[in-house]
Amino acid sequence: MSSDLEVAIAAAAAGAAVVRSKYGTVVARHDKSATDFATDADLAAEQAILEVIQGARPGDAVLGEEYGASGDADASRRWMVDPLCGTLNFAAGTPLFSVNVALQVSGTATVAAIADPVSGEIFWTDGETASVRRDGSDLALVPSADSLLVDVNLDPITDGGFLGSRLLADPGLRAVFGQRVLSTTLAVAWVAAGRRTAYVTDGNLRDSVHFTAGLALCRAAGCVVTDLRGGPLYDGPGVIAAADEKTHAILLELITPHLPD
């Protein structure tokens, strides 16, 4: 594999093949908390991804959701791996989950691939363009606000108050947008693909194995991606990933009253 993008796509595809083979079967669960767990599918998928990355780029560091960090901690190149984003969906037999792989070079995501094990699609970016690979063909991603569907993350990942529940209860949001909750960052890729108008979450997302790939895809596709206060991504809390400037402006106005001073 001559390019980092090819490595990312191959790694995501390898993880997706494992997840797809185990979907609908009985898999062991490994508790992380009272409401969160990994499964044997998470572990096996991450191992398959690591084998591709370490085989093609043995000098690179890796940060994985399940097996943690490996390689030189000071390496300028680091792969971010989320082998099964939407584990609870997967375990419940709900076909909404993804496999996320991204490469950071000096802290900036340069390539990324997000695989949907159920549809067989692989969303990818080389850092400048964004496409989806379907049945062997690549199609450019075109963001669109036409659906008026906004996905809000309901996993509370911040200590500063839970934005998701407050935002979903806001009548102003309901008056403008349809609300959706996928509980997987596959929804972030769907913003880049024009299947969602926007995605909103709180929390500290810097160096997140869950979000790095999807946000890199959105930025390359031309989405408007900022923190919740409208500043540069990672400068402040959370993210608004919107299909266009108009959608972003509306959401920023709706979100601002719910943020702490």
Side-chain angles (χ1 to χ4, degrees), residues 65-230:
E65 167 72 2
E66 306 305 335
Y67 289 105
S70 62
D72 184 357
D74 296 323
S76 62
R77 292 168 53 90
R78 180 173 64 167
W79 294 86
M80 313 293 285
V81 175
D82 185 356
L84 179 47
C85 189
T87 299
L88 275 65
N89 287 345
F90 170 87
T94 304
L96 293 170
F97 39 81
S98 64
V99 175
N100 304 330
V101 176
L103 172 64
Q104 289 182 329
V105 178
S106 299
T108 299
T110 57
V111 302
I114 301 97
D116 180 343
V118 176
S119 71
E121 295 176 316
I122 299 179
F123 303 89
W124 60 263
T125 178
D126 58 5
E128 297 181 358
T129 63
S131 297
V132 58
R133 182 164 298 177
R134 186 185 305 120
D135 299 327
S137 298
D138 290 325
L139 299 174
L141 295 179
V142 180
S144 170
D146 289 351
S147 73
L148 295 180
L149 298 177
V150 174
D151 215 278
V152 178
N153 184 17
L154 273 186
D155 291 322
I157 54 176
T158 181
D159 294 328
F162 183 20
L163 173 67
S165 59
R166 297 195 302 273
L167 189 59
L168 288 173
D170 189 322
L173 182 74
R174 297 198 304 272
V176 181
F177 299 110
Q179 301 152 297
R180 292 295 182 272
V181 180
L182 291 191
S183 298
T184 167
T185 56
L186 178 61
V188 181
W190 283 5
V191 176
R195 303 174 191 176
R196 286 289 186 271
T197 298
Y199 182 93
V200 177
T201 184
D202 54 13
N204 180 6
L205 307 188
R206 185 179 294 277
D207 297 331
S208 168
V209 296
H210 308 291
F211 288 94
T212 297
L215 294 178
L217 186 81
C218 282
R219 298 176 86 174
C223 299
V224 181
V225 182
T226 72
D227 69 19
L228 292 176
R229 300 186 185 278

Side-chain angles (χ1 to χ4, degrees), residues 120 156 233:
L233 181 62

